[in-house]
Amino acid sequence: METLREAIKDKKRVVVKIGSSSLQHPETGDLDYNKMEVLVRELCNIRNSGKDVVLVSSGAISVGKKSVHLENDKSGKVSVKQACAAIGQAKLMMIYQKFFAEYNQVTAQVLMTKDTITNTVNRVNAHNTFSELLELGVIPVVNENDTISTYEIKFGDNDTLSAIVAALIDADLLILLSDIDGLYTDNPRNNPDAKFIEVVEELNDDIMHMGKKETGSNVGTGGMNTKLQAAKIATSAGCDMIIANSSDIHILHRIMDGRNFGTLFKANRDEDFYLADYIMDMKEDA
Ligand code: GLU
């Protein structure tokens, strides 16, 4: 019988999410071009193997802050973050396009808010746009529209956003590249007895409780908790999800070769799962 890992080779539509901290040099906060280059090359190669590929990339706010020397801004002012996102998103996209162009790969920018999903017309439009882009062989680069999204319409983190994108476009695999190897029974940075979990067949309450708010980095927003929320959305929508370490981005082709890296959350389609309703409920919880 084909193992869960071997089945990864047959996936047709893959969403890859990378966080701000994985794109930067920890010493300076400047972009790590080598990492971005490997990421782009890996994505193009997955695309060349005949699969649809979508990249969800963070980094707009941190790249923007860096550009105007506001990286130490502690004001927490929303308008500052939104202005920095406008600066950083354009810069991030320019750099991605430069790398993608080396492989003759066309890209597109898609910026989303919660309204993209909760408003039926917007959701259908977004779905159709993604379908068209993928049909054209394009690799869309997605982020939250941080420049205009206010508290009410904000997803807040790209782990959740990437799972929503995966559900919206009926992806069959979501890979979250993170600063940790995958899911542990406890935070391995504090607890040396924490055990690594290779496969989660069912996202039960015990697993959901393993989500810890803290992350190893202080850039970006995703802790294990947001990754488990993402797993809930992706697996309920019928999509496998893998959390893997971004320290070596070549891990992407190893995963696609069906090898055992990271934690795999097995898809468990819930016939009662409706993306828009799920997002509406998130809105009420906020
Ligand atoms: N959308 C934010 C950005 O691009 C990042 C959100 C996140 O790190 O999860 O700056």
Side-chain angles (χ1 to χ4, degrees), residues 17-21 57-63 85 89 92 142-146 154 156-161 219-222 226:
K17 181 258 170 179
I18 187 140
S20 309
S21 62
S57 175
S58 308
I61 297 174
S62 55
V63 169
Q89 180 64 32
L92 196 60
V142 183
N143 198 355
E144 178 150 23
N145 195 348
D146 296 304
K154 215 170 167 44
D157 70 90
N158 279 3
D159 293 328
T160 310
L161 175 62
V219 281
T221 44
T226 58

Side-chain angles (χ1 to χ4, degrees), residues 15 112 114 117-118 123 154-174 176 200 202-204 207-208 224-242 265-283 285:
V15 176
M112 297 171 59
K114 266 192 187 175
I117 303 297
T118 52
R123 188 177 63 255
K154 215 170 167 44
F155 293 114
D157 70 90
N158 279 3
D159 293 328
T160 310
L161 175 62
S162 61
I164 287 165
V165 169
L168 177 71
I169 66 170
D170 297 317
D172 45 11
L173 178 63
L174 167 64
L176 299 185
V200 175
E202 199 201 329
L203 259 185
N204 53 29
I207 300 280
M208 290 310 282
M224 198 44 80
N225 194 42
T226 58
K227 288 174 181 49
L228 290 174
Q229 294 301 334
K232 186 95 210 153
I233 297 170
T235 58
S236 304
C239 175
D240 280 351
M241 185 182 109
I242 293 174
F265 296 78
K266 192 171 159 299
N268 233 323
R269 190 183 288 278
D270 173 356
E271 296 305 333
D272 294 327
F273 175 81
Y274 292 104
L275 186 58
D277 291 351
Y278 189 90
I279 308 297
M280 290 279 206
D281 291 345
M282 279 172 58
K283 210 170 191 169
D285 291 347

